[in-house]
PDB file of all heavy atoms in Angstrom:
ATOM      1  N   ASN X   3      79.805 -76.862  49.622  1.00  0.00           N
ATOM      2  CA  ASN X   3      79.645 -77.198  48.206  1.00  0.00           C
ATOM      3  C   ASN X   3      78.214 -77.620  47.904  1.00  0.00           C
ATOM      4  O   ASN X   3      77.667 -77.278  46.858  1.00  0.00           O
ATOM      5  CB  ASN X   3      80.608 -78.325  47.796  1.00  0.00           C
ATOM      6  CG  ASN X   3      82.033 -77.844  47.712  1.00  0.00           C
ATOM      7  OD1 ASN X   3      82.297 -76.647  47.653  1.00  0.00           O
ATOM      8  ND2 ASN X   3      82.957 -78.781  47.728  1.00  0.00           N
ATOM      9  N   PHE X   4      77.612 -78.365  48.825  1.00  0.00           N
ATOM     10  CA  PHE X   4      76.231 -78.819  48.639  1.00  0.00           C
ATOM     11  C   PHE X   4      75.295 -77.609  48.588  1.00  0.00           C
ATOM     12  O   PHE X   4      74.457 -77.509  47.697  1.00  0.00           O
ATOM     13  CB  PHE X   4      75.831 -79.773  49.776  1.00  0.00           C
ATOM     14  CG  PHE X   4      74.378 -80.174  49.723  1.00  0.00           C
ATOM     15  CD1 PHE X   4      73.876 -80.888  48.645  1.00  0.00           C
ATOM     16  CD2 PHE X   4      73.519 -79.832  50.756  1.00  0.00           C
ATOM     17  CE1 PHE X   4      72.540 -81.259  48.589  1.00  0.00           C
ATOM     18  CE2 PHE X   4      72.180 -80.199  50.706  1.00  0.00           C
ATOM     19  CZ  PHE X   4      71.684 -80.912  49.630  1.00  0.00           C
ATOM     20  N   GLU X   5      75.456 -76.693  49.530  1.00  0.00           N
ATOM     21  CA  GLU X   5      74.585 -75.519  49.549  1.00  0.00           C
ATOM     22  C   GLU X   5      74.807 -74.652  48.308  1.00  0.00           C
ATOM     23  O   GLU X   5      73.855 -74.125  47.731  1.00  0.00           O
ATOM     24  CB  GLU X   5      74.767 -74.690  50.821  1.00  0.00           C
ATOM     25  CG  GLU X   5      73.743 -73.584  50.912  1.00  0.00           C
ATOM     26  CD  GLU X   5      73.580 -72.950  52.282  1.00  0.00           C
ATOM     27  OE1 GLU X   5      74.193 -73.410  53.253  1.00  0.00           O
ATOM     28  OE2 GLU X   5      72.801 -71.988  52.363  1.00  0.00           O
ATOM     29  N   GLU X   6      76.034 -74.528  47.872  1.00  0.00           N
ATOM     30  CA  GLU X   6      76.325 -73.765  46.654  1.00  0.00           C
ATOM     31  C   GLU X   6      75.680 -74.427  45.435  1.00  0.00           C
ATOM     32  O   GLU X   6      75.144 -73.748  44.557  1.00  0.00           O
ATOM     33  CB  GLU X   6      77.845 -73.623  46.464  1.00  0.00           C
ATOM     34  CG  GLU X   6      78.245 -72.665  45.387  1.00  0.00           C
ATOM     35  CD  GLU X   6      77.741 -71.231  45.575  1.00  0.00           C
ATOM     36  OE1 GLU X   6      77.626 -70.760  46.724  1.00  0.00           O
ATOM     37  OE2 GLU X   6      77.453 -70.579  44.546  1.00  0.00           O
ATOM     38  N   HIS X   7      75.715 -75.753  45.395  1.00  0.00           N
ATOM     39  CA  HIS X   7      75.053 -76.498  44.313  1.00  0.00           C
ATOM     40  C   HIS X   7      73.541 -76.228  44.328  1.00  0.00           C
ATOM     41  O   HIS X   7      72.939 -75.996  43.274  1.00  0.00           O
ATOM     42  CB  HIS X   7      75.328 -77.995  44.447  1.00  0.00           C
ATOM     43  CG  HIS X   7      74.471 -78.844  43.568  1.00  0.00           C
ATOM     44  ND1 HIS X   7      74.659 -78.946  42.205  1.00  0.00           N
ATOM     45  CD2 HIS X   7      73.379 -79.601  43.855  1.00  0.00           C
ATOM     46  CE1 HIS X   7      73.721 -79.733  41.690  1.00  0.00           C
ATOM     47  NE2 HIS X   7      72.934 -80.145  42.670  1.00  0.00           N
ATOM     48  N   LEU X   8      72.939 -76.262  45.504  1.00  0.00           N
ATOM     49  CA  LEU X   8      71.505 -75.978  45.624  1.00  0.00           C
ATOM     50  C   LEU X   8      71.185 -74.577  45.113  1.00  0.00           C
ATOM     51  O   LEU X   8      70.224 -74.386  44.366  1.00  0.00           O
ATOM     52  CB  LEU X   8      71.045 -76.073  47.080  1.00  0.00           C
ATOM     53  CG  LEU X   8      71.028 -77.438  47.734  1.00  0.00           C
ATOM     54  CD1 LEU X   8      70.685 -77.290  49.214  1.00  0.00           C
ATOM     55  CD2 LEU X   8      70.047 -78.366  47.045  1.00  0.00           C
ATOM     56  N   LYS X   9      72.000 -73.634  45.533  1.00  0.00           N
ATOM     57  CA  LYS X   9      71.804 -72.240  45.138  1.00  0.00           C
ATOM     58  C   LYS X   9      71.834 -72.095  43.619  1.00  0.00           C
ATOM     59  O   LYS X   9      70.940 -71.486  43.023  1.00  0.00           O
ATOM     60  CB  LYS X   9      72.883 -71.364  45.778  1.00  0.00           C
ATOM     61  CG  LYS X   9      72.788 -69.903  45.434  1.00  0.00           C
ATOM     62  CD  LYS X   9      73.907 -69.139  46.139  1.00  0.00           C
ATOM     63  CE  LYS X   9      73.824 -67.664  45.842  1.00  0.00           C
ATOM     64  NZ  LYS X   9      74.875 -66.918  46.560  1.00  0.00           N
ATOM     65  N   LYS X  10      72.845 -72.688  42.998  1.00  0.00           N
ATOM     66  CA  LYS X  10      72.970 -72.602  41.536  1.00  0.00           C
ATOM     67  C   LYS X  10      71.813 -73.278  40.831  1.00  0.00           C
ATOM     68  O   LYS X  10      71.257 -72.746  39.873  1.00  0.00           O
ATOM     69  CB  LYS X  10      74.300 -73.220  41.077  1.00  0.00           C
ATOM     70  CG  LYS X  10      75.498 -72.357  41.367  1.00  0.00           C
ATOM     71  CD  LYS X  10      76.781 -73.024  40.928  1.00  0.00           C
ATOM     72  CE  LYS X  10      77.969 -72.169  41.292  1.00  0.00           C
ATOM     73  NZ  LYS X  10      79.236 -72.875  41.068  1.00  0.00           N
ATOM     74  N   ASP X  11      71.444 -74.463  41.303  1.00  0.00           N
ATOM     75  CA  ASP X  11      70.363 -75.203  40.665  1.00  0.00           C
ATOM     76  C   ASP X  11      69.036 -74.456  40.788  1.00  0.00           C
ATOM     77  O   ASP X  11      68.326 -74.293  39.795  1.00  0.00           O
ATOM     78  CB  ASP X  11      70.231 -76.601  41.283  1.00  0.00           C
ATOM     79  CG  ASP X  11      69.099 -77.385  40.637  1.00  0.00           C
ATOM     80  OD1 ASP X  11      69.211 -77.693  39.427  1.00  0.00           O
ATOM     81  OD2 ASP X  11      68.090 -77.649  41.320  1.00  0.00           O
ATOM     82  N   LEU X  12      68.703 -74.008  41.979  1.00  0.00           N
ATOM     83  CA  LEU X  12      67.443 -73.286  42.171  1.00  0.00           C
ATOM     84  C   LEU X  12      67.430 -71.980  41.386  1.00  0.00           C
ATOM     85  O   LEU X  12      66.433 -71.638  40.746  1.00  0.00           O
ATOM     86  CB  LEU X  12      67.203 -72.999  43.661  1.00  0.00           C
ATOM     87  CG  LEU X  12      66.759 -74.183  44.503  1.00  0.00           C
ATOM     88  CD1 LEU X  12      66.746 -73.793  45.986  1.00  0.00           C
ATOM     89  CD2 LEU X  12      65.397 -74.691  44.068  1.00  0.00           C
ATOM     90  N   HIS X  13      68.538 -71.263  41.434  1.00  0.00           N
ATOM     91  CA  HIS X  13      68.613 -69.988  40.725  1.00  0.00           C
ATOM     92  C   HIS X  13      68.429 -70.194  39.221  1.00  0.00           C
ATOM     93  O   HIS X  13      67.658 -69.487  38.573  1.00  0.00           O
ATOM     94  CB  HIS X  13      69.940 -69.284  41.029  1.00  0.00           C
ATOM     95  CG  HIS X  13      70.036 -67.935  40.398  1.00  0.00           C
ATOM     96  ND1 HIS X  13      70.932 -67.669  39.398  1.00  0.00           N
ATOM     97  CD2 HIS X  13      69.325 -66.790  40.610  1.00  0.00           C
ATOM     98  CE1 HIS X  13      70.781 -66.408  39.022  1.00  0.00           C
ATOM     99  NE2 HIS X  13      69.812 -65.851  39.739  1.00  0.00           N
ATOM    100  N   GLN X  14      69.116 -71.184  38.684  1.00  0.00           N
ATOM    101  CA  GLN X  14      69.011 -71.473  37.251  1.00  0.00           C
ATOM    102  C   GLN X  14      67.576 -71.869  36.884  1.00  0.00           C
ATOM    103  O   GLN X  14      67.026 -71.388  35.893  1.00  0.00           O
ATOM    104  CB  GLN X  14      69.989 -72.587  36.887  1.00  0.00           C
ATOM    105  CG  GLN X  14      70.082 -72.875  35.413  1.00  0.00           C
ATOM    106  CD  GLN X  14      71.144 -73.934  35.126  1.00  0.00           C
ATOM    107  OE1 GLN X  14      71.324 -74.880  35.899  1.00  0.00           O
ATOM    108  NE2 GLN X  14      71.851 -73.764  34.022  1.00  0.00           N
ATOM    109  N   PHE X  15      66.973 -72.738  37.693  1.00  0.00           N
ATOM    110  CA  PHE X  15      65.598 -73.154  37.423  1.00  0.00           C
ATOM    111  C   PHE X  15      64.641 -71.959  37.488  1.00  0.00           C
ATOM    112  O   PHE X  15      63.845 -71.744  36.576  1.00  0.00           O
ATOM    113  CB  PHE X  15      65.159 -74.240  38.416  1.00  0.00           C
ATOM    114  CG  PHE X  15      63.682 -74.500  38.373  1.00  0.00           C
ATOM    115  CD1 PHE X  15      63.092 -75.083  37.252  1.00  0.00           C
ATOM    116  CD2 PHE X  15      62.861 -74.137  39.436  1.00  0.00           C
ATOM    117  CE1 PHE X  15      61.720 -75.302  37.201  1.00  0.00           C
ATOM    118  CE2 PHE X  15      61.488 -74.345  39.388  1.00  0.00           C
ATOM    119  CZ  PHE X  15      60.918 -74.933  38.264  1.00  0.00           C
ATOM    120  N   LEU X  16      64.723 -71.192  38.557  1.00  0.00           N
ATOM    121  CA  LEU X  16      63.803 -70.062  38.731  1.00  0.00           C
ATOM    122  C   LEU X  16      64.030 -68.978  37.680  1.00  0.00           C
ATOM    123  O   LEU X  16      63.082 -68.337  37.228  1.00  0.00           O
ATOM    124  CB  LEU X  16      63.919 -69.494  40.143  1.00  0.00           C
ATOM    125  CG  LEU X  16      63.377 -70.416  41.239  1.00  0.00           C
ATOM    126  CD1 LEU X  16      63.770 -69.902  42.621  1.00  0.00           C
ATOM    127  CD2 LEU X  16      61.872 -70.585  41.114  1.00  0.00           C
ATOM    128  N   GLN X  17      65.256 -68.804  37.273  1.00  0.00           N
ATOM    129  CA  GLN X  17      65.546 -67.826  36.213  1.00  0.00           C
ATOM    130  C   GLN X  17      64.962 -68.312  34.887  1.00  0.00           C
ATOM    131  O   GLN X  17      64.420 -67.516  34.115  1.00  0.00           O
ATOM    132  CB  GLN X  17      67.053 -67.623  36.103  1.00  0.00           C
ATOM    133  CG  GLN X  17      67.413 -66.425  35.275  1.00  0.00           C
ATOM    134  CD  GLN X  17      68.914 -66.200  35.203  1.00  0.00           C
ATOM    135  OE1 GLN X  17      69.705 -66.942  35.776  1.00  0.00           O
ATOM    136  NE2 GLN X  17      69.304 -65.181  34.475  1.00  0.00           N
ATOM    137  N   SER X  18      65.004 -69.624  34.648  1.00  0.00           N
ATOM    138  CA  SER X  18      64.483 -70.171  33.387  1.00  0.00           C
ATOM    139  C   SER X  18      62.971 -69.990  33.256  1.00  0.00           C
ATOM    140  O   SER X  18      62.444 -69.976  32.152  1.00  0.00           O
ATOM    141  CB  SER X  18      64.852 -71.653  33.249  1.00  0.00           C
ATOM    142  OG  SER X  18      64.028 -72.466  34.067  1.00  0.00           O
ATOM    143  N   ILE X  19      62.276 -69.849  34.380  1.00  0.00           N
ATOM    144  CA  ILE X  19      60.826 -69.626  34.329  1.00  0.00           C
ATOM    145  C   ILE X  19      60.481 -68.180  34.719  1.00  0.00           C
ATOM    146  O   ILE X  19      59.341 -67.875  35.059  1.00  0.00           O
ATOM    147  CB  ILE X  19      60.050 -70.652  35.192  1.00  0.00           C
ATOM    148  CG1 ILE X  19      60.486 -70.596  36.655  1.00  0.00           C
ATOM    149  CG2 ILE X  19      60.205 -72.055  34.618  1.00  0.00           C
ATOM    150  CD1 ILE X  19      59.619 -71.419  37.589  1.00  0.00           C
ATOM    151  N   ASN X  20      61.492 -67.324  34.678  1.00  0.00           N
ATOM    152  CA  ASN X  20      61.340 -65.885  34.898  1.00  0.00           C
ATOM    153  C   ASN X  20      60.791 -65.522  36.283  1.00  0.00           C
ATOM    154  O   ASN X  20      60.042 -64.564  36.435  1.00  0.00           O
ATOM    155  CB  ASN X  20      60.470 -65.260  33.797  1.00  0.00           C
ATOM    156  CG  ASN X  20      60.703 -63.779  33.674  1.00  0.00           C
ATOM    157  OD1 ASN X  20      61.800 -63.286  33.941  1.00  0.00           O
ATOM    158  ND2 ASN X  20      59.671 -63.045  33.292  1.00  0.00           N
ATOM    159  N   GLU X  21      61.192 -66.292  37.290  1.00  0.00           N
ATOM    160  CA  GLU X  21      60.767 -66.000  38.668  1.00  0.00           C
ATOM    161  C   GLU X  21      61.818 -65.200  39.438  1.00  0.00           C
ATOM    162  O   GLU X  21      61.491 -64.603  40.455  1.00  0.00           O
ATOM    163  CB  GLU X  21      60.445 -67.291  39.424  1.00  0.00           C
ATOM    164  CG  GLU X  21      59.139 -67.927  39.014  1.00  0.00           C
ATOM    165  CD  GLU X  21      57.897 -67.171  39.484  1.00  0.00           C
ATOM    166  OE1 GLU X  21      58.006 -66.244  40.308  1.00  0.00           O
ATOM    167  OE2 GLU X  21      56.801 -67.519  39.018  1.00  0.00           O
ATOM    168  N   VAL X  22      63.062 -65.235  38.991  1.00  0.00           N
ATOM    169  CA  VAL X  22      64.117 -64.419  39.597  1.00  0.00           C
ATOM    170  C   VAL X  22      64.955 -63.819  38.472  1.00  0.00           C
ATOM    171  O   VAL X  22      64.952 -64.316  37.348  1.00  0.00           O
ATOM    172  CB  VAL X  22      65.039 -65.212  40.564  1.00  0.00           C
ATOM    173  CG1 VAL X  22      64.272 -65.746  41.765  1.00  0.00           C
ATOM    174  CG2 VAL X  22      65.770 -66.333  39.856  1.00  0.00           C
TER     175      VAL X  22
END
Side-chain angles (χ1 to χ4, degrees):
N3 287 343
F4 174 63
E5 187 164 355
E6 190 59 33
H7 168 74
L8 291 174
K9 180 180 181 178
K10 285 179 183 171
D11 180 65
L12 285 172
H13 184 247
Q14 186 176 37
F15 168 68
L16 291 169
Q17 193 178 0
S18 77
I19 59 171
N20 201 30
E21 286 288 349
V22 297

